[in-house]
Amino acid sequence: MSSTANATFSVWKILANLTGLLAFAVMAGFGIRTIPTNPRVGWFSAILFGTMCVAMVIELFRICGLDEDQTPAIATRVKIRPALIYAASLIVTLFLGISDHFISSSFTESFPRPGVWLGTFLTTLAFYPLRERKEDFPNFTFWTIFCALMGAVSVVLSYLTDWVEQLL
Amino acid sequence: MRFVRLLGAVAVFYGLSYFFHALLQILSTMRFGGPEPLHLVIIGTNLAIGVVTLINGIGLLLRQKWARVSWLVTVILLVLFHNFILLLTYWLGQDLTQQLLNVGLIFFLAVISWSKLGDEEGKKYFR
């Protein structure tokens, strides 16, 4: 994750990062599948490769933002970007909260609720580099608390989904 | 500009995931015997979606004008395709969760793409 002042955008860097992201996502998936048989190794690889995935996403945001001075409509983006971040966080929260049963069955019933919370927390945290101007957006501490709360909402949603399924 | 590149990255990732899925299906048919005609169609469809979205994604990353139109058309076709698969899954009486998630994800991608790139303002991002 090199960060130099005169770094330039390159499609090859993006492709390399995306390939890495795919590889880490697959390995994190294998880690989650291993949890029922070997919890220690499973959790370790899930957290390690999950963190690598988040690092890759952050790096992708960084690379995509290089040469920003050529952007034509900065004013429009400044208005829209925070809204997009909040919308994306909400979508992730709803997605992970509702789909926990599907994810659980995909990974041999081995995706407990702490995983839902962690998934939502890390994914929403990864949106932080998207912010355009610091004054228009909460600081990192506030954003971390916000992400933790969204994780809790996701867990509540997953309980709610189970309750609705039992009712139906 | 960052938005277009991020959209390109998402499209490339989408294409790569379809490639990966198709690769697993090919390995599976190699392991468990020769592929049936239906399997060939499914693998071919996954590979086709992978190629198209990968090319579109690279075009978006390079901010090419053709990529804007091509991606907007592709994303609509993907929405229609996934809705068709959802209907097919419903008719076959299988679990709809995965297909509903697919439709939801591609729908949001389509909404975001069309809202940012669908008007005259969106053209300014491309060269």
Side-chain angles (χ1 to χ4, degrees), chain B residues 38-86:
Chain B
L38 182 64
H39 289 152
L40 284 176
V41 171
I42 293 168
I43 292 169
T45 308
N46 284 332
L47 283 174
I49 292 174
V51 170
V52 170
T53 48
L54 195 65
I55 292 170
N56 276 315
I58 291 172
L60 287 172
L61 284 172
L62 295 170
R63 295 189 292 135
Q64 298 294 304
K65 276 183 183 170
W66 58 264
R68 176 181 158 271
V69 180
S70 175
W71 172 247
L72 290 175
V73 172
T74 304
V75 83
I76 288 296
L77 291 176
L78 283 172
V79 170
L80 293 175
F81 173 75
H82 281 102
N83 274 299
F84 171 71
I85 298 292
L86 178 70

Side-chain angles (χ1 to χ4, degrees), chain A residues 9 11 14-15 18 21-22 26 61 64-68 70-73 77 95 99 102 129-130, chain B residues 1-3 5-6 9 12-13 16-17 20 58 61-63 97-98 101 105 108 116 121 124-125:
Chain A
F9 174 80
V11 173
I14 295 276
L15 291 177
L18 284 172
L21 178 63
L22 191 65
V26 169
F61 279 128
C64 288
L66 294 173
D67 303 324
E68 273 295 274
Q70 294 171 17
T71 310
R77 285 187 314 127
F95 174 78
S99 66
F102 159 69
L130 262 177
Chain B
M1 185 167 65
R2 178 185 267 182
F3 170 79
R5 284 175 178 169
L6 282 172
V12 170
F13 190 75
L16 284 177
S17 65
F20 185 70
I58 291 172
L61 284 172
L62 295 170
R63 295 189 292 135
T97 317
Q98 189 177 0
L101 290 173
L105 281 174
F108 278 120
K116 289 288 280 186
E121 194 71 20
K124 290 182 182 176
Y125 292 109

Side-chain angles (χ1 to χ4, degrees), chain A residues 7-57:
Chain A
T8 51
F9 174 80
S10 156
V11 173
W12 293 112
K13 286 181 194 170
I14 295 276
L15 291 177
N17 273 276
L18 284 172
T19 312
L21 178 63
L22 191 65
F24 286 131
V26 169
M27 285 191 273
F30 280 126
I32 293 168
R33 287 181 74 110
T34 313
I35 291 172
T37 50
N38 193 340
R40 187 178 291 180
V41 175
W43 275 111
F44 177 75
S45 17
I47 291 169
L48 177 71
F49 294 123
T51 309
M52 293 304 287
C53 284
V54 174
M56 281 291 178
V57 171

Side-chain angles (χ1 to χ4, degrees), chain A residues 86-106:
Chain A
Y86 285 118
S89 304
L90 190 66
I91 289 166
V92 168
T93 307
L94 292 173
F95 174 78
L96 285 175
I98 293 169
S99 66
D100 75 312
H101 180 66
F102 159 69
I103 295 168
S104 174
S105 55
S106 300

